[in-house]
Amino acid sequence: MSWFDPVGGGLTRRSVLLVLCAGASACGFQPLFRHSTDESADLTRIFHTIRISPISNRVGQQLHNALRDSLAPLGQPDRPLYRLDVSLSESRSDITIQRDTSPNLTKLRVTVHYKLIALPTGKTITGGRSESTTVFKIVNSEFANIAALSSARARTAMEISNQMRIQLGMFFRQAQRRPSDEASAQGS
């Protein structure tokens, strides 16, 4: 008899899900990218105050566009409060070799270091590193190999953009909590 079997008297999937959701909300869990009526709490509004500096090379352009789409889908801000500076490095290495010494699979690794700078002061307020690795197959067609490399670069750019969005979101959430944490500590 399964504990998911409603006929056998066990818990249903719906009731287990309800218990898990109630437990998560009771511990103070809040989604990182929720939309809020409180302007200071909404990361979408905060992200729209970040100007993304140009990033060199093709992967950098793809990363810039992915960041722009995820952080500020309405376009670059007119009056930015922050500037995001990104440096990028790309490496490729063959991971399997055929008998005729030609590569069969190639690993593409893209590493990014970034700094978020507060424009009023010019000071770096946070920074970080993101990395993504993907593998693509090498075939006898040069066109197919170029397309595979292009697709691999696009995938790594999207993955790094997602990582950076989460890292920046966590930074801003922690920054929002600090003043209230300090105020409650002073009040006790």
Side-chain angles (χ1 to χ4, degrees):
M1 184 182 305
S2 170
W3 62 283
F4 285 117
D5 183 15
V7 177
L11 297 172
T12 64
R13 287 184 179 149
R14 188 173 287 162
S15 62
V16 170
L17 182 61
L18 185 63
V19 169
L20 290 175
C21 288
S25 64
C27 73
F29 171 78
Q30 295 178 353
L32 183 61
F33 296 113
R34 74 180 189 276
H35 288 284
S36 172
T37 56
D38 178 14
E39 274 193 41
S40 65
D42 191 357
L43 287 178
T44 304
R45 290 186 182 107
I46 295 170
F47 285 161
H48 192 67
T49 63
I50 300 173
R51 175 170 296 279
I52 305 160
S53 298
I55 308 168
S56 63
N57 76 31
R58 179 64 185 142
V59 181
Q61 291 172 346
Q62 290 172 322
L63 177 59
H64 181 276
N65 292 341
L67 285 168
R68 186 190 63 220
D69 291 346
S70 68
L71 297 179
L74 301 175
Q76 293 276 24
D78 294 330
R79 294 185 181 141
L81 299 176
Y82 307 99
R83 185 181 75 233
L84 183 63
D85 291 342
V86 178
S87 63
L88 179 142
S89 64
E90 174 185 329
S91 65
R92 288 193 301 181
S93 58
D94 299 330
I95 54 176
T96 61
I97 307 292
Q98 296 179 7
R99 290 181 188 202
D100 66 352
T101 69
S102 64
N104 189 14
L105 291 175
T106 297
K107 178 171 61 172
L108 174 71
R109 173 177 285 150
V110 176
T111 305
V112 165
H113 295 274
Y114 67 90
K115 295 186 292 187
L116 186 66
I117 299 166
L119 291 179
T121 63
K123 292 184 179 179
T124 300
I125 58 172
T126 190
R129 177 181 180 275
S130 291
E131 182 177 289
S132 179
T133 302
T134 189
V135 175
F136 61 97
K137 187 171 183 155
I138 301 295
V139 295
N140 290 333
S141 166
E142 189 63 29
F143 176 77
N145 292 337
I146 292 170
L149 176 59
S150 176
S151 177
R153 285 176 169 158
R155 287 192 311 269
T156 58
M158 189 58 70
E159 173 66 26
I160 289 172
S161 169
N162 291 335
Q163 290 174 16
M164 289 176 65
R165 183 173 190 256
I166 290 169
Q167 290 170 358
L168 290 170
M170 289 172 48
F171 166 76
F172 282 115
R173 278 286 180 246
Q174 289 173 351
Q176 289 172 342
R177 289 188 183 126
R178 280 187 214 125
S180 63
D181 292 344
E182 292 169 6
S184 64
Q186 291 174 354
S188 48

